[in-house]
Amino acid sequence: MIPRHRASRRAASALAVAVPALLVLAACTSAPDAESDDDADATPHGFVEGASEHEEPQLGLVGVTAAGDVTMLDLLSEETAAVGEIGAVTHVADDGRFVAATTADGIAIVDSGAWTVEHGDHNHYYRAHPHVAATIEADGPARIASTELVTVVLAEGAGEVVVLDRGDLGQGTTTELGRFDADAVAAVPLGDAILVADASGVRLVDHDGDALTEPTACTDPTDAMQTRVGVAVTCAEGAVLATAADAPLESIPYPAGTDPATVATAIDGRPGRPTVAAVAGDAGLWLLDTRERSWTLVPTQTPLVRVAAVDDADEHVVAIAADGRVLAMDATGAVLGATEPLLADAIASDATPTIDVDASRAYVPVGDGTVLEIDYADGARIARTLEVAGDAVTEVGR
Amino acid sequence: MRRALAAVASAVLAAGVLAACAPASEGPRIVVTTNILGDVVETLVGEQVEVATLMQPNADPHSFEISARQAADMEAADLVVANGLGLEEGLLQHVETAADAGVPITLAGDVVEVLEYATEDASGPDPHWWTDPTQMVAVVDALEDAIAEHVDGIDADALADAADDYRGELEALDADLETRFDAIGADRRVLVTNHHVFGYLAERYDFRIVGAVIPGGSTLAAPSASDLDDLAAAIEEAGVPVIFAESSQPDRLIQVLAEEVGVDVRVESLFTESLTEPDGGAGTYLELMQANADRIEAALAP
């Protein structure tokens, strides 16, 4: 399988628009010369040309083969569409809408055309035509993360961060808002800033990479993810949490006496929720609650290789056990149900399994061209076995 | 930011001297953001001046954007009318630019009695005030004043007559809704819904709202009872076998609820944040309210 980073998404935060303290009310400004604005009528109406709003998440699975064939399975209709061909792919990452695939020509950005916008007490769900949106000059494994306004691509090979206008990207236009060098583990947008995690710690920078804050200590950063609360980075001593571009970075240390062999190296969870999960060595799993600023070690009977928090009312956690079973668990580590060891072969071949969770299902690629649709609230029942041609498969539209 | 915008608008309105020096414009004299407010403004001014409504029928007020020409129209208008309270996110910067350019702004959110919403994850002012027609009366009052003050050459008597007529229609609508909803009975005045816009309607007419998560298409493809427990519990709590929901597959939802958890329900959709095309059932604000009342009454009547 192609290695991939899982999605993370952050709520649309309020834009910091400065309102002039003193309006120049006395000035009579002349009307803009609308007549000369010949191109204005060409500007499309609507949020995204061709995008439509829907009453429910437009969930899909994007499959990328090693040869670079991109397809998308609609999880609602079960129809598969060819999206494009991008050439041989060595690595895949996604932000829940855009899929970044590393190719010989650069990092191809595939727009799945399916996305969710959090809006206070409700969400909006959109769908547009999936397409290969852009290829940006950069190499190496990519990470990709977005706000409503910007998409940030970290090219780990080149140690480079590319900041793109997300609205333009959705229209198939690459507008670079910034590009800077960073030998970073993560680069994640947060309001007007970008959180960068590297060997010097965690800091916020602007679109040109200029530091906005002093680095906050974070030894050996390993992963970062957007949660409902902010952006969390995992470090040897715990987590660093950034909640806003202008708020101080916070540290969430591990409990005293934590065995260094158990510290989290990858966090995962349902987009838009505060709690994420991580494998805790052979001891079980960690739950990092970014709202409560707490780590909780949950011992399990079986060592785990991958885990994702659902953070629903029943606090479900979906895990892949070292023996290849998919487990539905609760927050105490109790196993509510398990599949057969369907991922044993994939684990034996040293592939890193992935789990994508949404509000009712989890998706686990088996590695043989099928993806398990797991009903985690019903004892890890396999609701559907879906066929997706892909060496990397990622859920979009969440 | 929402508060800041309101402050800008108030400051501009308070200045009050701007219309006198606003430049003559070939474009629309009044620019309105949402189509619900657009319908009301057009009703008030009739054929007197050109009104441009930015939001198309069947659109989403949260996420529509406008062309450069429309933005220029806003800056050249005699008056801009917007909902405010954070509803038109995509337009905020244009409204602020127009305010900066000296265009008077009327925000409906400044004159209605604002309810707050609060969930575990978020809270703030609820911008969906139009589900209570008595709130629209206050908005009509504010629009009448603003149009009379800022739109040059308006026939004030005709405007006042139109506003009086429309207030009369709103009051008749309110009385009609009150009578019809009252007849449903207090124990059945409950909306099991995934809509988030009926807080004001509930407040005005004493409905109970039971929030519900409606399983989506990927869930309904291969469901089990666990997928429907929460919805079944909400229906049981409500005591009324009706879901007011946006569902892409209402028939499938009904079937699955019956099969998996033995609950027989009716699924009704309601108009929420946008008018339809003229023949779409909710071509005007009054039609939208009547259509929703018809559906609620038909579904809940004992």
Side-chain angles (χ1 to χ4, degrees):
Chain A
M1 283 194 275
I2 305 172
R4 64 162 272 238
H5 286 300
R6 78 283 169 274
S8 70
R9 174 167 54 80
R10 167 123 174 94
S13 57
L15 314 177
V17 176
V19 176
L22 180 64
L23 291 168
V24 188
L25 292 170
C28 291
T29 52
S30 61
D33 187 2
E35 299 305 315
S36 68
D37 199 2
D38 288 332
D39 293 331
D41 287 338
T43 307
H45 293 210
F47 188 49
V48 172
E49 187 174 13
S52 53
E53 188 176 10
H54 294 264
E55 51 279 285
E56 62 182 57
Q58 298 300 292
L59 302 171
L61 297 177
V62 172
V64 181
T65 68
D69 290 328
V70 184
T71 55
M72 181 163 161
L73 170 70
D74 183 329
L75 286 167
L76 281 52
S77 69
E78 294 189 32
E79 290 171 3
T80 296
V83 178
E85 296 173 11
I86 54 177
V89 171
T90 56
H91 187 274
V92 166
D94 78 286
D95 71 353
R97 172 183 175 181
F98 294 103
V99 178
T102 305
T103 73
D105 297 330
I107 295 175
I109 313 277
V110 176
D111 183 2
S112 69
W115 74 100
T116 292
V117 175
E118 289 167 9
H119 190 259
D121 60 344
H122 61 279
N123 293 336
H124 294 271
Y125 311 109
Y126 295 94
R127 165 164 291 184
H129 187 67
H131 64 285
V132 179
T135 298
I136 59 172
E137 278 183 42
D139 61 23
R143 279 173 172 262
I144 184 169
S146 295
T147 63
E148 289 312 301
L149 299 176
V150 299
T151 293
V152 174
V153 179
L154 167 66
E156 292 181 299
E160 203 169 25
V161 174
V162 183
V163 186
L164 301 168
D165 182 303
R166 187 165 180 263
D168 285 354
L169 194 59
Q171 304 282 7
T173 304
T174 308
T175 304
E176 283 195 17
L177 304 174
R179 181 185 275 260
F180 57 90
D181 292 333
D183 191 12
V185 171
V188 181
L190 179 67
D192 296 335
I194 297 169
L195 175 147
V196 171
D198 62 17
S200 71
V202 177
R203 64 190 186 283
L204 298 177
V205 303
D206 66 16
H207 289 178
D208 297 317
D210 294 328
L212 301 171
T213 63
E214 291 295 313
T216 290
C218 177
T219 307
D220 298 331
T222 47
D223 197 9
M225 185 167 176
Q226 293 159 311
T227 77
R228 183 76 197 198
V229 177
V231 181
V233 183
T234 50
C235 323
E237 57 269 51
V240 172
L241 178 69
T243 56
D246 56 358
L249 297 172
E250 301 174 49
S251 293
I252 308 173
Y254 283 112
T258 291
D259 179 351
T262 66
V263 303
T265 56
I267 47 178
D268 208 345
R270 177 159 64 110
R273 298 301 305 158
T275 296
V276 294
V279 173
D282 290 336
L285 63 95
W286 289 105
L287 291 174
L288 169 60
D289 184 335
T290 57
R291 181 169 283 142
E292 299 297 327
R293 273 72 161 166
S294 68
W295 287 97
T296 304
L297 181 64
V298 180
T300 60
Q301 301 273 329
T302 315
L304 308 176
V305 296
R306 188 76 201 174
V307 61
V310 180
D311 198 12
D312 55 353
D314 296 324
E315 300 184 299
H316 286 112
V317 174
V318 181
I320 298 170
D323 59 18
R325 293 176 301 152
V326 182
L327 311 178
M329 313 173 80
D330 66 15
T332 70
V335 175
L336 308 174
T339 67
E340 296 298 307
L342 299 171
L343 277 88
D345 289 350
I347 294 169
S349 70
D350 217 20
T352 305
T354 60
I355 305 169
D356 285 330
V357 288
D358 64 31
S360 69
R361 298 286 186 264
Y363 295 90
V364 178
V366 178
D368 61 355
T370 64
V371 177
L372 306 176
E373 181 182 69
I374 304 290
D375 183 353
Y376 50 74
D378 191 19
R381 175 179 68 98
I382 298 174
R384 290 184 287 182
T385 300
L386 301 156
E387 293 190 5
V388 182
D391 296 292
V393 179
T394 180
E395 187 184 14
V396 293
R398 291 186 288 173
Chain B
M1 183 167 66
R2 291 164 184 171
R3 203 172 298 128
L5 176 58
V8 171
S10 313
V12 173
L13 287 172
V17 296
L18 292 160
C21 63
S25 161
E26 301 278 312
R29 306 280 299 281
I30 305 175
V31 175
V32 190
T33 60
T34 72
N35 52 37
I36 289 175
L37 284 168
D39 169 53
V40 175
V41 171
E42 285 182 13
T43 301
L44 297 184
V45 302
E47 301 291 312
Q48 289 202 61
V49 297
E50 185 185 346
V51 177
T53 298
L54 301 176
M55 177 184 162
Q56 302 296 306
N58 302 311
D60 169 18
H62 296 287
S63 60
F64 71 105
E65 288 183 344
I66 60 173
S67 70
R69 169 68 62 88
Q70 290 174 312
D73 285 345
M74 283 178 87
E75 291 179 48
D78 290 357
L79 179 67
V80 167
V81 178
N83 190 88
L85 302 177
L87 188 74
E88 313 102 320
E89 289 169 276
L91 286 191
L92 198 57
Q93 66 183 73
H94 299 297
V95 174
E96 286 176 346
T97 302
D100 287 349
V103 179
I105 314 290
T106 296
L107 290 182
D110 283 354
V111 297
V112 301
E113 286 178 42
V114 177
L115 297 178
E116 299 282 324
Y117 74 84
T119 68
E120 181 196 23
D121 291 321
S123 62
D126 180 347
H128 310 97
W129 52 269
W130 58 83
T131 62
D132 172 0
T134 65
Q135 302 278 2
M136 186 63 92
V137 173
V139 174
V140 169
D141 292 346
L143 289 172
E144 183 187 4
D145 291 347
I147 293 167
E149 182 176 356
H150 298 298
V151 180
D152 276 350
I154 196 89
D155 179 339
D157 290 340
L159 174 67
D161 287 348
D164 283 345
D165 287 350
Y166 198 64
R167 275 188 288 263
E169 291 195 73
L170 291 171
E171 280 154 15
L173 171 70
D174 174 53
D176 180 46
L177 263 49
E178 187 155 19
T179 303
R180 293 162 69 184
F181 291 154
D182 194 53
I184 290 171
D187 58 331
R188 294 181 69 86
R189 273 199 305 275
V190 50
L191 303 177
V192 179
T193 184
N194 64 345
H195 292 307
H196 56 277
V197 306
F198 292 107
Y200 288 84
L201 179 110
E203 178 79 10
R204 174 66 186 164
Y205 303 108
D206 191 30
F207 278 85
R208 198 153 54 89
I209 290 187
V210 178
V213 175
I214 308 299
S218 65
T219 311
L220 295 176
S224 71
S226 66
D227 293 315
L228 301 149
D229 284 349
D230 289 349
L231 183 55
I235 295 164
E236 186 166 344
E237 182 200 332
V240 180
V242 183
I243 306 169
F244 294 94
E246 295 176 78
S247 168
S248 58
Q249 304 174 61
D251 295 340
R252 174 72 177 150
L253 180 62
I254 291 165
Q255 175 198 353
V256 165
L257 274 165
E259 285 175 0
E260 297 291 341
V261 286
V263 174
D264 289 311
V265 295
R266 170 172 178 162
V267 177
E268 279 286 339
S269 68
L270 297 172
F271 296 108
T272 57
E273 300 186 287
S274 177
L275 301 183
T276 61
E277 301 284 357
D279 57 357
T284 69
Y285 171 67
L286 294 174
E287 278 181 21
L288 178 147
M289 293 300 293
Q290 287 288 3
N292 279 348
D294 290 348
R295 292 177 183 190
I296 291 170
E297 183 182 41
L300 295 181

